[in-house]
Amino acid sequence: MRIDVISAVPKILISPLGESIIKRAQNKGLAEIHLHDLKDYAAGKYRHVDDKPFGGGAGMVLKPEPVFKCLDKLLFERRYDEVIYLTPQGTKFNQRKANRLSMMKNIILLCGHYKGLDQRVIDKYVTHEVSIGDYVLTGGETAAMVVIDAVIRLIPGVLGDSESALTDSFQTEAGFDAPVYTRPAVYEGMEVPKVLVNGNHKDIEKWRAEEGTKKYRRVKRVKRKT
Ligand code: ADE
């Protein structure tokens, strides 16, 4: 899978993309992530990528020209399944969307910064507007990182068997994973549930399903079906 990220401050992404499982996915050739700096597409001596909003108001708006140029270049080079604009005004990102995106070949993540992005970019190129939650970040870069992380770990081969995504929270009907423990079996007087230590796989599976469901209900305040 190839992900192109367009941003005015792509450096924000360099460190998290170079660590752990996401780094491993790239090294294995399972994911290719390309960062594009809007300043490289901006005109003039100062390479401004933003300007004041028409009609007044606070904040700066990303100018259309550098974004058009960057998108035109990428779209000329290959076909993209989706052009996603990260914005708090988008539809909420969730595990289902992560699953769907993980099956795509090429996607573009467009990060807004400052006050927002000239609407003409959205009108011409954007296929989906996506929010990672009901709060406002300083820019779309951290949101793009969340999407990249959630998507890449789902690509077949990225996680080893022991890290399998199939038993993740939200991937099962019950909703959440059961609590997990590791050694020591007693720590500061707190014991690991006996069922996990006893080694009966049927009992463990049942306990895990029940605990996952219980936690899901507690956190999401879902009423038990009668
Ligand atoms: N940009 C700023 N806030 C955001 C959010 N909550 N989700 C996605 N992109 C954003």
Side-chain angles (χ1 to χ4, degrees):
M1 175 183 199
R2 175 181 170 124
I3 303 177
D4 288 88
V5 186
I6 302 175
S7 162
V9 276
K11 276 190 190 151
I12 291 175
L13 289 145
I14 291 174
S15 171
L17 289 176
E19 300 290 338
S20 184
I21 289 168
I22 298 179
K23 176 185 178 184
R24 204 169 74 198
Q26 293 170 91
N27 289 345
K28 279 188 185 172
L30 296 168
E32 242 182 74
I33 302 164
H34 297 265
L35 302 179
H36 305 276
D37 190 339
L38 280 175
K39 285 180 211 81
D40 294 339
Y41 297 85
K45 190 172 158 201
Y46 298 105
R47 298 192 170 265
H48 286 305
V49 294
D50 60 339
D51 207 338
K52 286 179 284 189
F54 273 119
M60 298 289 267
V61 176
L62 280 180
K63 288 160 69 64
E65 302 97 312
V67 194
F68 267 56
K69 272 195 194 149
C70 182
L71 281 166
D72 281 341
K73 176 177 175 287
L74 293 176
L75 293 167
F76 179 75
E77 287 169 356
R78 68 194 61 76
R79 208 192 79 75
Y80 284 89
D81 300 295
E82 289 195 12
V83 178
I84 295 168
Y85 172 46
L86 282 316
T87 164
Q89 285 135 34
T91 54
K92 198 86 63 74
F93 186 64
N94 57 20
Q95 192 65 36
R96 187 174 307 166
K97 284 193 183 136
N99 283 332
R100 200 168 48 75
L101 290 177
S102 74
M103 288 183 265
M104 294 185 174
K105 194 161 182 283
N106 304 313
I107 63 167
I108 292 175
L109 299 179
L110 179 54
C111 304
H113 221 73
Y114 317 105
K115 186 69 191 160
L117 173 65
D118 190 289
Q119 182 62 34
R120 287 165 291 190
V121 175
I122 300 169
D123 293 344
K124 179 160 183 198
Y125 298 99
V126 170
T127 59
H128 294 83
E129 294 182 69
V130 170
S131 162
I132 62 158
D134 291 337
Y135 39 79
V136 180
L137 304 164
T138 53
E141 289 74 17
T142 39
M145 193 56 231
V146 167
V147 172
I148 291 170
D149 188 324
V151 169
I152 284 197
R153 62 190 294 289
L154 295 173
I155 298 172
V158 168
L159 297 183
D161 282 349
S162 63
E163 306 157 317
S164 171
L166 290 174
T167 56
D168 281 349
S169 292
F170 301 109
Q171 296 285 35
T172 61
E173 280 292 300
F176 284 170
D177 276 350
V180 290
Y181 300 84
T182 186
R183 280 178 288 193
V186 183
Y187 187 68
E188 293 205 348
M190 293 179 283
E191 282 183 33
V192 169
K194 290 252 171 344
V195 63
L196 297 178
V197 184
N198 292 345
N200 179 326
H201 289 293
K202 270 233 165 76
D203 290 351
I204 292 173
E205 244 170 64
K206 184 164 168 280
W207 179 86
R208 284 191 170 144
E210 283 167 3
E211 291 300 313
T213 308
K214 251 194 255 170
K215 181 159 189 201
Y216 187 84
R217 289 203 174 115
R218 195 167 65 242
V219 173
K220 301 280 185 187
R221 296 176 200 282
V222 180
K223 288 240 164 62
R224 187 187 296 273
K225 270 193 207 141
T226 48

